[in-house]
Amino acid sequence: MTAKSSHRALALLAGALLAAPVAAGPEEDRAAFQQYFETRFPAIATEDFINGAYALDPVGRENWEAIEEFPPYETALSKGEEMWNTPFANGQGYADCFPDGPAIAGRYPHWDRERGMVITLPLALNDCRAANDEPPLKYKKGPIADLVAYIAFASRGQITAVEIPEDDPRALAAYEQGRQFYFARRGQLNFACSHCHMGNSGTTLRTEILSPAYGHTTHFPVYRSKWGEMGTLHRRFSGCNEQVRAKAFPAQGEEYRNLEFFMTYMNNGLPLNGPGARK
C-alpha cells in the first residue's frame, strides 16, 4: 500500500467510526475499530496495544519497564489476596461466590440475561458481598481496587472475549448505548472519548502522549502516579468526563457499565495484562 492510499484508507476508517451515527453491527464495528489503529500505527504489533502510550513512546516505555521491576501495585496485590482469602462474618468468602477464582477477570464484563444488564467484575464482587450480608465497597478506589488488582494479576494472559447475545435485543441496546457514549461530545470542551483516543491518538497533549483506545481496558485497575494509589476503570471514566468539564456519572451506573461493555468488546482478542502502572 502506498503512503497516499494508506492515508486515504485511514481517513475512510476514521470517517466511518467517528462520524457515523448508526452502528453497522458489533462485529463490523470491532473489525473497523481494530483496523483503524493497526493502519494508524503500522509499526506496532497488535499485542503491544495493551501497553497504551508506552507502545508509542520508547523513552517512556524504558522508564515504565524499570518501574514494573518493582511495581507500585504490589501492596495492592497483597491486600487483594488477603481480602480474597479472608472469610466473611458468616464464614463464607469470595471463593464461594466464584469457585473458579481468582483468575476470573476474563469473564467480565458480560451480559446477564436474567437481570437484563451488563455485569462488571466490581459489580459482581459487591453482589457477592450483598449475598453474604456484607456492606458494599466503594467503586473507584480503596479495597475494591485492591481486590480487582489481585484478580486481574491472577488473570493475566486471558484473552478478551466479550459476547453480545444475538438473540437478546437488550444486550445489543446496551452495547449501542455504550458506543454512542464513546462517540458523543460532552462537557464545556465539547469533546468525545474518541477525539482524544482515536482521532488524536499518538499526538501530544501538553507533555503526554494520548494513548490509543485499542487496548484501554486490558490493564485495569491501575496505579497512577497522579493519584498516588490504585484506581478502577470507572474512576478513570469519571476523570475523563471531568477533564472535558462534564459532570461524571456514578461509578458502576448504567452509563459506565455500557461504555465498558462497548470498549471491552472493541478489544476482543487482546490478552489481559492488569493491573497496570501509569503516570
Side-chain angles (χ1 to χ4, degrees):
M1 181 180 288
T2 65
K4 183 177 181 180
S5 62
S6 177
H7 287 313
R8 183 174 182 275
L10 185 61
L12 288 172
L13 281 168
L17 286 164
L18 301 178
V22 179
E27 193 55 21
E28 292 83 359
D29 288 346
R30 184 202 59 77
F33 181 92
Q34 295 184 4
Q35 186 183 354
Y36 173 83
F37 288 104
E38 289 169 358
T39 304
R40 186 176 179 88
F41 303 108
I44 298 179
T46 298
E47 62 273 13
D48 208 23
F49 279 102
I50 63 177
N51 296 319
Y54 299 126
L56 308 174
D57 179 10
V59 175
R61 184 180 187 121
E62 184 176 347
N63 294 333
W64 167 66
E65 288 178 343
I67 290 172
E68 285 284 347
E69 291 292 323
F70 301 96
Y73 50 76
E74 281 189 329
T75 300
L77 295 180
S78 297
K79 290 180 178 178
E81 182 177 16
E82 182 178 0
M83 290 178 66
W84 181 271
N85 291 321
T86 300
F88 301 133
N90 65 1
Q92 299 290 299
Y94 292 107
D96 294 289
C97 297
F98 309 99
D100 296 328
I104 54 173
R107 302 178 184 179
Y108 298 90
H110 68 252
W111 178 254
D112 187 309
R113 189 183 299 271
E114 291 185 5
R115 298 170 69 179
M117 60 187 284
V118 174
I119 302 297
T120 64
L121 177 56
L123 189 65
L125 291 169
N126 262 347
D127 284 346
C128 174
R129 294 180 63 84
N132 287 281
D133 298 319
E134 294 287 326
L137 302 175
K138 294 184 178 180
Y139 282 122
K140 291 185 178 181
K141 60 182 181 178
I144 193 72
D146 296 338
L147 184 56
V148 175
Y150 171 64
I151 293 171
F153 188 78
S155 306
R156 281 187 172 184
Q158 292 180 356
I159 302 301
T160 305
V162 173
E163 296 182 2
I164 302 174
E166 295 182 359
D167 62 343
D168 192 335
R170 300 171 301 170
L172 183 59
Y175 164 86
E176 179 59 22
Q177 288 166 14
R179 181 187 185 278
Q180 291 179 3
F181 188 106
Y182 193 81
F183 292 104
R185 294 175 180 268
R186 56 179 38 84
Q188 290 180 336
L189 298 186
N190 201 32
F191 280 0
C193 308
S194 57
H195 284 113
C196 288
H197 297 292
M198 288 192 72
N200 288 304
S201 57
T203 65
T204 302
L205 179 63
R206 299 188 181 92
T207 61
E208 302 300 326
I209 294 176
L210 292 170
S211 57
Y214 191 21
H216 264 177
T217 60
T218 65
H219 54 268
F220 275 84
V222 298
Y223 181 99
R224 292 192 74 201
S225 300
K226 177 180 179 180
W227 295 337
E229 60 184 354
M230 298 295 299
T232 64
L233 179 61
H234 287 206
R235 179 180 182 180
R236 191 72 187 99
F237 287 168
S238 296
C240 286
N241 278 178
E242 291 165 355
Q243 284 178 323
V244 299
R245 298 175 189 171
K247 183 177 180 180
F249 292 92
Q252 296 303 322
E254 183 178 28
E255 295 86 359
Y256 286 165
R257 283 186 289 105
N258 290 346
L259 176 61
E260 181 177 346
F261 195 42
F262 164 75
M263 289 181 64
T264 311
Y265 187 89
M266 291 298 98
N267 292 324
N268 272 359
L270 291 180
L272 301 181
N273 64 328
R278 295 293 187 267
K279 292 183 180 179

